[in-house]
Amino acid sequence: MKILVFVSKWVGNECLRTLFSEFGNDDYLFIVSNPDADKIIELIQKHNHKYLILNQDTIKFINSHSKFHFDWLLNLWGAYIFNEEILLKAKKSLNIHPSFLPFDRGRDPIVWAIRKSHPAGVTLHQITEGVDEGPIIFQEEVKYNFPENGRVLYDRVIERCYKLFGEQWPKIRNSKEKPITQKKVNVINYRKNLIDDRIINLDQNEPNWTVISKILAHDFDKDYCSLISYQGKIYDAKLVIKERIGDHEE
C-alpha cells in the first residue's frame, strides 16, 4: 500500500509508532515539518523509510505524481493546508481533529468546547478543501464536567487523538464503509478569535457565566491564561473551583 503522510509535532510522532509497529512494510513517503521535525526524522530513519522536508519543492514533487498515485493521504498533525491538486493524488484521506465534529472546526477546539459548552472529542475524517468539514470516518466523545479547565481537557483529548488513531487505523485502512457526511455548521474558529476571547473586560460588565467559562477555557499553564482588563490595567486570571458538600470541601 502506498501512503503519503504529512507529519509534525510529538502527536504525529506517536501516530507513526502505530504505522511502523503494525504496517512497517507499507510504501511510505513522509512529509515532515516542525515542531519536533528532528525527532520525527530520527524515527523514520530508524525504520528505513523515505521522507522529505515540507517546502515548495516538495509540494511540486508531489504534484508531479499522477492522479490517485497513493492509496492514502494521512495528515498526522502536519502543518499544511491541502488544495484539490494534492488531495487528488490519493484515493483516500484521513485527518485527526481534536474535536467532536461538526462542533468547533478550526483552531483551538478545546477552548471553544468549554466556552460554548459543546461536546469535546476526537474525529478521524476525510480531508477536503473546507476547514475540518470532510466526511467523518470515526469519532469518539471525550466527556468532561464543570469545572474542568482547558489544560486538563486538552491533555485528555490529545492523548485520545494518537491512541484512537492507533486503535482505528488497522480497521480503517482496508475498510469499505462510507464515511458519514457532516452536518453543516458555518462557524470556523481562527487564532484571532482565541486572542479576542481571552480578554475579560470588566468595564463592560460581562455576564457571570461568560467570565467563568473564559477563565476555565483559557487556563492552560503559567504562561497562558485569561486576561482581565479593568480601568486601563491588565491582570492574569485563574480560578479555583471546588465542590462544597455540606460544610466540607472535597
Side-chain angles (χ1 to χ4, degrees):
M1 188 174 285
K2 290 185 177 181
I3 303 178
L4 176 63
V5 184
F6 284 70
V7 57
S8 73
K9 210 171 181 179
W10 68 270
V11 187
N13 200 40
E14 289 299 319
C15 292
L16 292 192
R17 299 184 189 282
T18 293
L19 300 184
F20 295 147
S21 64
E22 300 192 42
F23 306 102
N25 292 326
D26 281 344
D27 184 5
Y28 297 104
L29 174 58
F30 293 99
I31 311 301
V32 182
S33 58
N34 279 313
D36 300 318
D38 290 344
K39 292 181 180 179
I40 292 169
I41 290 171
E42 182 180 354
L43 182 61
I44 293 170
Q45 290 177 327
K46 179 181 178 181
H47 292 273
N48 299 311
H49 287 288
K50 303 184 295 291
Y51 74 91
L52 295 170
I53 302 299
L54 178 60
N55 54 40
Q56 289 301 315
D57 289 337
T58 294
I59 297 303
K60 289 179 181 178
F61 174 72
I62 295 171
N63 284 332
S64 70
H65 289 77
S66 61
K67 184 178 179 181
F68 300 147
H69 176 81
F70 299 95
D71 295 295
W72 277 95
L73 163 62
L74 302 181
N75 188 41
L76 306 181
W77 245 254
Y80 185 75
I81 299 175
F82 299 95
N83 57 29
E84 184 178 12
E85 189 173 11
I86 291 285
L87 294 175
L88 286 174
K89 303 305 176 188
K91 298 172 186 175
K92 298 180 180 180
S93 62
L94 180 148
N95 179 59
I96 307 171
H97 187 64
S99 85
F100 196 72
L101 292 175
F103 296 101
D104 306 315
R105 290 176 178 159
R107 301 292 296 270
D108 313 301
I110 280 73
V111 170
W112 297 114
I114 295 175
R115 279 285 288 114
K116 299 177 182 180
S117 298
H118 287 167
V122 181
T123 304
L124 308 179
H125 66 94
Q126 284 186 357
I127 305 169
T128 63
E129 289 190 281
V131 177
D132 302 321
E133 68 177 21
I136 294 170
I137 300 170
F138 189 87
Q139 65 181 169
E140 175 183 284
E141 185 175 356
V142 176
K143 298 287 188 179
Y144 68 100
N145 296 299
F146 176 85
E148 194 163 331
N149 67 22
R151 167 50 57 180
V152 174
L153 182 57
Y154 176 87
D155 288 343
R156 294 203 296 116
V157 168
I158 297 303
E159 181 180 27
R160 284 309 298 156
C161 281
Y162 62 82
K163 287 187 176 180
L164 190 68
F165 175 77
E167 293 163 8
Q168 294 301 318
W169 175 240
K171 305 172 187 177
I172 290 170
R173 66 195 302 272
N174 291 314
S175 174
K176 295 182 179 180
E177 292 186 17
K178 291 185 177 181
I180 300 170
T181 301
Q182 287 192 47
K183 295 179 181 179
K184 291 185 178 181
V185 176
N186 293 325
V187 177
I188 298 174
N189 297 308
Y190 299 96
R191 182 51 53 83
K192 181 181 183 302
N193 302 126
L194 181 82
I195 295 170
D196 293 342
D197 189 75
R198 184 184 183 189
I199 298 174
I200 301 166
N201 195 331
L202 295 186
D203 294 314
Q204 294 180 358
N205 194 27
E206 292 197 50
N208 290 339
W209 173 247
T210 299
V211 172
I212 291 172
S213 67
K214 279 188 176 183
I215 295 175
L216 291 175
H218 290 272
D219 186 357
F220 273 73
D221 53 45
K222 63 180 181 180
D223 297 320
Y224 184 84
C225 62
S226 288
L227 303 174
I228 291 178
S229 174
Y230 182 59
Q231 295 184 348
K233 294 183 179 180
I234 300 293
Y235 304 84
D236 286 347
K238 287 182 174 287
L239 187 63
V240 176
I241 300 176
K242 294 182 179 180
E243 182 180 4
R244 182 178 291 273
I245 301 175
D247 293 329
H248 302 282
E249 292 183 353
E250 294 213 338

